[in-house]
Amino acid sequence: HETNYKLSVSVPNRYIYRSFGFTINPRISYSVLNQNYFQQVYNKLEYVMDKTIFRHGIEYKLDFNTSQKTSTRDINTKWGNTYKFNLKYFFNNTFSIIPDNSNNYLLSNEIKFFVPGFAKHHGFMIGGGAQYMNVIDYIYEDEIKYPRGYDKLFDKAAYKNIFKDNDRVKLTLNYFFPIAYPDYIVSHFLYFKRFRANLFYDYNYGLNLNKEYISTGLELITDFHLFRIFSQLSSGVRVSYIPQTNKPRLEFIIDSEF
């Protein structure tokens, strides 16, 4: 069982030039991680605390975003890009500004580009990234996600070594487009704004096991608002095909702007 306490300081900046907006947000965080380890009582369905470990760490983040002004019917910006840098690590016995090979740490970079598609309100999102994880006695949650359709919990039989491939590079290609704008209101509780689709291709290469992780598929999504709340909600289904299993996979997805 883990409990993480974090104190963060960020300095967000935003600039406007004609129809483009630029944001840059550097952030530094100090965290305390409390890990409680439990051991099962012999011949009983009970667990007792075995030991507690406190870890202290630092996280550096940098987010940069460029986007062109959009209309209400645009799914994403026509022209733009995002960049994310992340470095986080735990101290050993002494405080350090930069980690070395004696620290648990994760380093990641990710970039995305948005360009117009073949028709109005259509667009491409092309992205790439990489992460490196130095594991001593703690494994961080991935910053570079596995391709859509992969699941560490449910795919253990097919991907029994997936936990070991912590160092990876990533490429992704998306083509998104609207299907319909119903502008339909159900009483005062629900407003359907848009139905849209996204075609995707995801590729990861694991540097630890020299293994490829690939998926491709389709997402069908509805954008809507509840109770006249300004923030948009999105839900739908995703159909992924993973060549390693030669089987499709159906998932339900939900997202929000909160």
Side-chain angles (χ1 to χ4, degrees), residues 2-230:
E2 294 184 354
T3 305
N4 192 18
Y5 305 93
K6 183 179 290 187
L7 176 64
S8 300
V9 177
S10 63
V11 186
N13 295 275
R14 180 171 175 80
Y15 308 95
I16 302 294
Y17 179 73
R18 295 184 178 178
S19 63
F20 284 87
F22 307 86
T23 60
I24 183 168
N25 185 15
R27 177 184 302 174
I28 183 171
S29 304
Y30 175 78
S31 62
V32 178
L33 181 67
N34 179 17
Q35 293 180 290
N36 295 318
Y37 292 86
F38 293 85
Q39 189 174 33
Q40 186 174 4
V41 178
Y42 181 72
N43 257 353
K44 295 183 180 180
L45 294 176
E46 298 179 17
Y47 291 84
V48 295
M49 189 177 295
D50 183 36
K51 61 180 179 178
T52 299
I53 295 177
F54 286 94
R55 302 179 188 270
H56 300 258
I58 292 288
E59 181 176 6
Y60 301 107
K61 296 189 75 172
L62 176 65
D63 295 329
F64 178 78
N65 177 277
T66 303
S67 61
Q68 189 179 27
K69 186 178 179 180
T70 59
S71 70
T72 55
R73 292 203 165 193
D74 287 329
I75 299 173
N76 279 306
T77 181
K78 293 180 181 178
W79 296 98
N81 74 283
T82 64
Y83 171 73
K84 294 183 179 181
F85 167 84
N86 193 352
L87 171 62
K88 50 188 172 183
Y89 62 97
F90 289 118
F91 309 140
N92 289 327
N93 297 320
T94 58
F95 173 83
S96 60
I97 298 177
I98 298 296
D100 56 32
N101 287 333
S102 65
N103 299 100
N104 295 288
Y105 70 85
L106 184 148
L107 172 66
S108 67
N109 290 270
E110 188 171 8
I111 192 166
K112 298 176 182 178
F113 296 96
F114 297 89
V115 296
F118 300 118
K120 196 172 183 179
H121 309 304
H122 290 218
F124 287 96
M125 190 279 283
I126 305 164
Q131 78 171 23
Y132 174 77
M133 195 181 305
N134 192 56
V135 178
I136 305 299
D137 58 0
Y138 182 81
I139 298 178
Y140 283 98
E141 183 179 352
D142 289 317
E143 291 290 334
I144 299 298
K145 303 301 182 184
Y146 279 92
R148 280 163 281 193
Y150 281 78
D151 193 305
K152 290 184 178 182
L153 294 178
F154 299 103
D155 294 337
K156 286 183 179 179
Y159 312 109
K160 60 183 179 180
N161 291 320
I162 200 169
F163 294 98
K164 300 178 183 178
D165 238 349
N166 297 314
D167 307 334
R168 299 192 312 280
V169 293
K170 165 189 173 181
L171 292 172
T172 183
L173 174 63
N174 297 260
Y175 185 79
F176 48 87
F177 56 93
I179 299 174
Y181 294 89
D183 287 332
Y184 183 70
I185 299 175
V186 180
S187 185
H188 300 290
F189 304 106
L190 184 61
Y191 165 59
F192 287 101
K193 176 183 177 181
R194 173 174 52 213
F195 298 110
R196 57 187 170 93
N198 180 50
L199 301 169
F200 68 86
Y201 174 85
D202 292 341
Y203 176 87
N204 273 203
Y205 184 78
L207 301 175
N208 304 105
L209 301 178
N210 295 320
K211 185 176 180 180
E212 293 180 323
Y213 303 90
I214 302 170
S215 75
T216 185
L218 168 69
E219 296 172 329
L220 298 174
I221 302 169
T222 303
D223 297 325
F224 60 95
H225 295 262
L226 285 175
F227 305 108
R228 297 187 176 182
I229 298 174
F230 180 77

Side-chain angles (χ1 to χ4, degrees), residues 230-258:
F230 180 77
S231 296
Q232 176 180 287
L233 298 172
S234 302
S235 66
V237 294
R238 175 190 297 142
V239 180
S240 308
Y241 173 73
I242 300 175
Q244 285 90 334
T245 62
N246 198 28
K247 293 180 180 179
R249 178 167 186 166
L250 178 66
E251 300 172 273
F252 294 97
I253 53 179
I254 188 167
D255 195 11
S256 72
E257 293 182 346
F258 289 102

